[in-house]
Amino acid sequence: MADDRVSLTSFLDYQRATLAMKCQGLNADQLKQRAVPTSSLTLLGLVRHAAEVETGWFRFVLNQEQLKPRWPAVDGVLGEFLVSEADVDEAFTFWREACEGSRAVTDSFESLDDTVVFRGETISLRYVLTHMIEEYARHNGHADLLREAIDGAVGE
């Protein structure tokens, strides 16, 4: 039986792998495709968003690094979702690097219950890991619908 730390980090890695799987085998145009008529979401936008969220929670909040978004907002729209001119390889590289950085920050904490104070709130590593699992799980649901609409592929 795994302890809480192993369980949480394993579930988070599973969610990361699920997003990668949803994108596997698609070309740049497919990754940028707005496949659901009622939504502007794309698989590439979800990957870029995941990279920003990883960086935000682990490096900006927990590690308290001074960072700016990789893809700044434009006219109130989060920049990571603006993918028409996006470089697919850059996005996936940044996401993979962000995940590795998140793992390094996680490893630097002795306990899940270690905390930092961020903007007046006390935030634990446990909270961030749990939140990230929720974040990926929600967006993996979106990714599942997008992938099915693009080429009919379904699965985990």
Side-chain angles (χ1 to χ4, degrees), residues 27-83:
N27 64 37
D29 289 338
Q30 290 171 312
L31 289 167
K32 294 177 183 182
Q33 184 178 339
R34 293 179 172 185
V36 175
T38 57
S39 175
S40 62
L41 285 179
T42 65
L43 287 169
L44 187 60
L46 291 175
V47 168
R48 287 168 39 127
H49 179 66
E52 289 284 16
V53 173
E54 291 268 1
T55 302
W57 278 103
F58 288 95
R59 293 185 52 210
F60 186 65
V61 175
L62 289 178
N63 222 32
Q64 308 215 333
E65 296 177 43
Q66 296 304 310
L67 303 169
K68 293 183 179 180
R70 176 75 168 232
W71 301 285
V74 177
D75 297 327
V77 177
L78 294 175
E80 60 258 38
F81 292 114
L82 303 173
V83 300

Side-chain angles (χ1 to χ4, degrees), residues 7-25:
S7 292
L8 290 172
T9 57
S10 295
F11 274 114
L12 181 51
D13 278 337
Y14 174 80
Q15 293 296 331
R16 290 168 174 145
T18 299
L19 181 57
M21 179 187 65
K22 290 298 170 186
C23 298
Q24 190 172 20

Side-chain angles (χ1 to χ4, degrees), residues 6-156:
V6 171
S7 292
L8 290 172
T9 57
S10 295
F11 274 114
L12 181 51
D13 278 337
Y14 174 80
Q15 293 296 331
R16 290 168 174 145
T18 299
L19 181 57
M21 179 187 65
K22 290 298 170 186
C23 298
Q24 190 172 20
L26 297 177
N27 64 37
D29 289 338
Q30 290 171 312
L31 289 167
K32 294 177 183 182
Q33 184 178 339
R34 293 179 172 185
V36 175
T38 57
S39 175
S40 62
L41 285 179
T42 65
L43 287 169
L44 187 60
L46 291 175
V47 168
R48 287 168 39 127
H49 179 66
E52 289 284 16
V53 173
E54 291 268 1
T55 302
W57 278 103
F58 288 95
R59 293 185 52 210
F60 186 65
V61 175
L62 289 178
N63 222 32
Q64 308 215 333
E65 296 177 43
Q66 296 304 310
L67 303 169
K68 293 183 179 180
R70 176 75 168 232
W71 301 285
V74 177
D75 297 327
V77 177
L78 294 175
E80 60 258 38
F81 292 114
L82 303 173
V83 300
S84 62
E85 303 299 318
D87 182 305
V88 170
D89 291 333
E90 175 207 20
F92 277 89
T93 297
F94 182 62
W95 176 53
R96 284 189 296 274
E97 290 171 354
C99 292
E100 285 304 314
S102 298
R103 288 181 190 101
V105 171
T106 297
D107 291 346
S108 74
F109 279 72
E110 189 172 316
S111 167
L112 289 175
D113 298 316
D114 287 350
T115 61
V116 298
V117 176
F118 181 77
R119 296 184 179 163
E121 290 192 51
T122 302
I123 299 173
S124 69
L125 174 60
R126 180 186 306 276
Y127 173 83
V128 171
L129 290 170
T130 303
H131 173 71
M132 289 299 296
I133 292 165
E134 179 273 331
E135 180 83 12
Y136 271 99
R138 180 168 27 94
H139 290 311
N140 282 338
H142 300 137
D144 196 40
L145 292 172
L146 290 168
R147 181 62 190 253
E148 184 176 6
I150 290 167
D151 69 356
V154 295
E156 286 187 52

